[in-house]
């Protein structure tokens, strides 16, 4: 039997060798058949699938226009209607900048007992639907109601407050064919300390109290009322904060249902295992403080990357202090800039100081997280969330370094959030909501995103020692 199998194997091998010589060496084995005129044409390559265009939020626009305080049948204001529209609001800037300006503008209208006229978060107001940022298309306009809710965007004031409700700019233009226009200098010339937010608000309030015309706006080309000079001045918010923080502009500020849904859908990143929680989208809105309480066990850190490196070195060149909302006396990490007159002789030393506080390295981030985690306010921390615009490699390296240094239940980042198509373009607001609710937050003193997080934490009476800086 063994001899018979051997003979059969040798015969099979010989046959295979003959076939190989006949076809493979002649180039005919699996060779493509020549194309003939009678053959069907080859199939074209599949078309490239174009990326979908950014959302335009039409439903949000329509909902804003349908607010009950809009009486579209009218062609002029009612006798009890008075409006204030800041036409020179910011454009082409990040949501952090736009949000803090929006809050101050709305508060100024509130103090003047006029309807605040809100428009859109505006990247480009040239009539285009889309703009470009970093080589990618973004919406030119996003309705504010896709980002926030509350009196600022036409929501009700608390019971007993009879301030006129906010209206949309389109309604303002519809009923106000004649407008009274002021420029920023009409008020700034009577203000002693031009960066004081309170003096600016009080100045406009005093001016508008003597104006009977219902339709008032600032000139579109006169610039922002509250600009970088205000928000970058560490003293600018000190005198206005007690009244601003107690006003419905902040006590009844809320994040939009779109933003809250994104938070709920990603809640596993923020809540520790076994921790009870309720879905924001299942609860009726009450107040800012009630709705956005602290999440036990969560540390959130804000790590700016990208073009912020150059910005930090620019700040160092004129010994910039922390932004206004990051400079309250209660903050436990005050920043004292090196003297500006020593810049020329000590440039590298100054840059190193600003780099550590403004653009810290991975090693510096790890060390600072370790320091703060050892404080009493940080007891029970289990999850770490990184709010960042850093690239994937940076985040991967940072997470690995944080894991090696200390034990965490989870370390996640902005890149781990799962969004629908509309939420993708309001992602900064989701990060702000997370930072606002963290048990401990570490922020960047020169960032407006950090400023807004701290503004909400302070308004909701979070203990100062839970809010830190690099």
């Amino acid at each position: 039997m063994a001899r018979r199998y051997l003979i059969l194997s040798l015969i099979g091998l010989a046959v295979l060798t003959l076939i190989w010589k006949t076809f493979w060496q002649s180039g005919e084995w699996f060779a493509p058949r020549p194309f003939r005129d009678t053959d069907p044409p080859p199939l074209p390559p599949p078309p490239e699938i174009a990326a979908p265009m950014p959302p335009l939020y039409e439903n949000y626009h329509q909902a804003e226009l349908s607010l009950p305080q809009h009486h579209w049948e009218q062609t002029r204001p009612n006798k009890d209607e008075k409006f204030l529209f800041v036409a020179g609001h910011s454009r082409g800037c990040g949501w952090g900048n736009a949000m803090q300006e929006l809050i101050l503008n709305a508060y100024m209208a509130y103090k003047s007992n006029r309807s605040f006229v809100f428009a859109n978060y505006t990247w480009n107001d040239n009539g285009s639907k889309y703009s470009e940022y970093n080589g990618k298309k973004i919406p030119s306009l996003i309705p504010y109601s896709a980002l926030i809710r509350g009196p600022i965007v036409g929501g009700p004031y608390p019971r007993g407050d009879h301030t006129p409700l906010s209206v949309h700019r389109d309604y303002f233009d519809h009923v106000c064919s004649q407008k009274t226009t002021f420029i920023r200098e009409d008020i700034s010339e009577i203000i002693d300390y031009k960066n004081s937010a309170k003096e600016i608000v009080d100045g406009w309030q005093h001016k508008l109290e003597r104006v009977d015309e219902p339709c008032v706006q600032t000139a579109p080309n006169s610039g922002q009322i509250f600009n970088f000079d205000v928000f970058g001045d560490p003293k600018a918010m000190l005198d206005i904060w007690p009244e601003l923080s107690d006003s419905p502009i902040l006590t009844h500020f809320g994040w939009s249902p779109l933003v809250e849904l994104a938070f709920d859908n990603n809640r596993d990143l923020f809540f520790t295992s076994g921790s009870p929680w309720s879905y924001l989208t299942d609860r009726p809105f009450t107040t800012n403080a009630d709705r956005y309480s602290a999440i036990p066990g969560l540390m959130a850190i804000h790590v700016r990357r990208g073009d912020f490196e150059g910005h930090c070195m620019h700040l160092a060149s004129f010994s910039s202090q922390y932004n206004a909302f990051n400079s309250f006396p209660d903050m436990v990490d005050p920043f004292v800039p090196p003297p500006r007159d020593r810049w020329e002789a000590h440039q590298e030393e100054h840059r190193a100081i600003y780099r550590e506080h403004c653009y810290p390295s991975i090693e510096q981030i790890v060390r600072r997280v370790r320091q703060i985690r050892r404080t009493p306010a940080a007891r029970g921390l289990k999850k770490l969330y990184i709010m960042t615009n850093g690239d994937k490699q940076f985040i991967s390296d940072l997470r690995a370094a944080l894991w090696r240094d200390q034990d965490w239940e989870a370390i996640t980042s902005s890149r781990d959030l799962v969004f629908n198509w509309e939420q993708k373009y309001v992602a900064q607001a989701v990060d702000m909501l997370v930072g606002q609710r963290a048990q401990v937050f570490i922020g960047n003193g020169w960032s407006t995103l950090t400023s807004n997080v701290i503004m909400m934490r302070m308004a909701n009476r979070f203990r100062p020692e839970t809010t830190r800086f690099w």
Side-chain angles (χ1 to χ4, degrees):
M1 288 294 293
R3 185 178 300 170
R4 185 176 302 171
Y5 281 127
L6 177 61
I7 294 172
L8 290 174
S9 298
L10 291 174
I11 294 172
L13 180 62
V15 171
L16 289 173
T17 302
L18 179 62
I19 294 172
W20 179 80
K21 287 184 177 181
T22 303
F23 293 99
W24 184 268
Q25 289 188 337
S26 64
E28 294 181 5
W29 190 265
F30 292 131
R33 184 168 54 85
F35 180 78
R36 292 190 287 266
D37 292 339
T38 57
D39 290 336
L43 293 174
E48 293 186 4
I49 300 176
M53 297 297 284
L56 296 177
Y57 302 95
E58 293 94 337
N59 292 340
Y60 293 86
H61 282 293
Q62 188 56 48
E64 291 178 353
L65 297 179
S66 301
L67 288 168
Q69 58 264 40
H70 293 155
H71 305 291
W72 293 100
E73 71 280 3
Q74 297 175 190
T75 57
R76 64 183 66 182
N78 285 330
K79 62 179 181 180
D80 59 342
E81 285 185 310
K82 286 189 173 182
F83 310 101
L84 176 63
F85 176 46
V86 182
H89 61 83
S90 61
R91 293 159 174 80
C93 62
W95 168 236
N97 298 67
M99 176 178 161
Q100 62 183 10
E101 180 200 10
L102 177 71
I103 286 173
L104 267 293
N105 286 341
Y107 179 69
M108 186 172 68
Y110 170 77
K111 287 281 289 184
S112 303
N113 201 37
R114 285 178 174 260
S115 291
F116 175 60
V117 179
F118 63 93
N120 301 284
Y121 170 42
T122 304
W123 190 262
N124 195 329
D125 61 354
N126 64 358
S128 64
K129 292 182 178 180
Y130 305 104
S131 300
E132 285 203 5
Y133 178 71
N134 281 346
K136 297 180 180 180
K137 287 194 178 298
I138 59 173
S140 291
L141 305 173
I142 297 179
Y144 279 126
S145 61
L147 292 150
I148 65 174
R149 72 169 88 191
I152 296 176
V153 288
Y157 283 94
R159 182 174 298 178
D161 191 319
H162 303 292
T163 305
L165 299 178
S166 300
V167 300
H168 193 275
R169 177 188 179 176
D170 287 358
Y171 178 73
F172 173 71
D173 289 338
H174 174 72
V175 297
C176 292
S177 56
Q178 299 293 324
K179 301 180 177 73
T180 302
T181 301
F182 295 106
I183 60 174
R184 191 173 187 268
E185 286 69 26
D186 290 330
I187 306 301
S188 61
E189 64 187 15
I190 65 172
I191 297 175
D192 293 330
Y193 173 34
K194 292 181 172 53
N195 290 347
S196 165
K198 179 172 172 54
E199 289 197 28
I200 293 172
V201 168
D202 290 348
W204 278 96
Q205 180 184 357
H206 180 69
K207 180 82 171 179
L208 294 173
E209 283 174 349
R210 296 174 293 167
V211 176
D212 292 329
E213 288 80 359
C215 303
V216 175
Q217 69 174 17
T218 65
N221 58 354
S222 68
Q224 302 166 236
I225 294 176
F226 301 96
N227 56 20
F228 174 77
D229 291 333
V230 178
F231 293 117
D233 189 323
K235 299 178 181 178
M237 297 299 159
L238 298 183
D239 52 2
I240 200 175
W241 180 247
E243 59 187 57
L244 173 62
S245 60
D246 286 337
S247 75
I249 300 302
L250 285 186
T251 62
H252 285 68
F253 173 93
W255 297 101
S256 73
L258 182 67
V259 171
E260 290 189 348
L261 179 62
F263 178 90
D264 280 349
N265 288 343
N266 291 277
R267 63 194 179 279
D268 291 341
L269 304 184
F270 320 129
F271 288 90
T272 59
S273 58
S275 173
W277 64 72
S278 59
Y279 291 86
L280 291 175
T281 45
D282 285 344
R283 298 172 53 197
F285 184 84
T286 51
T287 64
N288 192 339
D290 173 68
R291 193 170 188 83
Y292 307 123
S293 56
I295 300 174
L298 176 66
M299 172 184 276
I301 62 176
H302 183 204
V303 182
R304 282 295 304 263
R305 274 317 186 246
D307 61 354
F308 222 64
E309 182 176 18
H311 181 58
C312 293
M313 295 304 96
H314 174 66
L315 294 168
S317 67
F318 59 90
S319 295
S320 172
Q321 300 182 63
Y322 280 169
N323 292 352
F325 281 116
N326 302 331
S327 300
F328 287 95
D330 289 344
M331 298 289 99
V332 296
D333 294 321
F335 177 71
V336 180
R340 188 172 182 179
D341 58 9
R342 298 178 67 243
W343 165 252
E344 289 298 330
H346 302 84
Q347 289 189 29
E348 288 307 313
E349 178 185 342
H350 283 206
R351 288 193 178 100
I353 292 172
Y354 275 80
R355 191 174 290 111
E356 180 174 3
H357 291 280
C358 186
Y359 201 83
S361 66
I362 288 178
E363 180 183 356
Q364 290 168 335
I365 293 170
V366 171
R367 183 171 62 247
R368 185 65 171 149
V369 168
R370 185 194 318 131
Q371 290 172 348
I372 294 175
R373 199 178 182 191
R374 291 171 177 169
T375 64
R379 287 176 184 156
L381 292 181
K382 296 180 180 180
K383 286 200 170 185
L384 178 62
Y385 178 75
I386 307 167
M387 304 160 53
T388 186
N389 63 335
D391 60 33
K392 293 180 180 179
Q393 187 59 55
F394 168 78
I395 296 173
S396 176
D397 293 343
L398 176 58
R399 289 174 66 172
L402 290 164
W403 274 120
R404 286 194 300 268
D405 187 70
Q406 288 189 322
D407 182 44
W408 295 91
E409 184 178 294
I411 300 176
T412 55
S413 78
S414 306
R415 301 286 184 185
D416 296 310
L417 296 173
V418 177
F419 294 132
N420 66 30
W421 192 232
E422 286 185 326
Q423 291 163 347
K424 177 180 178 180
Y425 294 88
V426 298
Q428 273 195 326
V430 181
D431 265 356
M432 287 185 187
L433 172 52
V434 178
Q436 174 183 346
R437 298 193 63 186
Q439 176 183 327
V440 174
F441 172 71
I442 307 176
N444 186 310
W446 292 277
S447 165
T448 55
L449 190 154
T450 284
S451 295
N452 290 317
V453 168
I454 290 179
M455 174 172 56
M456 294 302 168
R457 292 175 69 88
M458 291 181 61
N460 291 347
R461 308 298 190 262
F462 280 44
R463 300 197 319 275
E465 61 269 24
T466 67
T467 301
R468 309 297 297 267
F469 296 103
W470 297 115

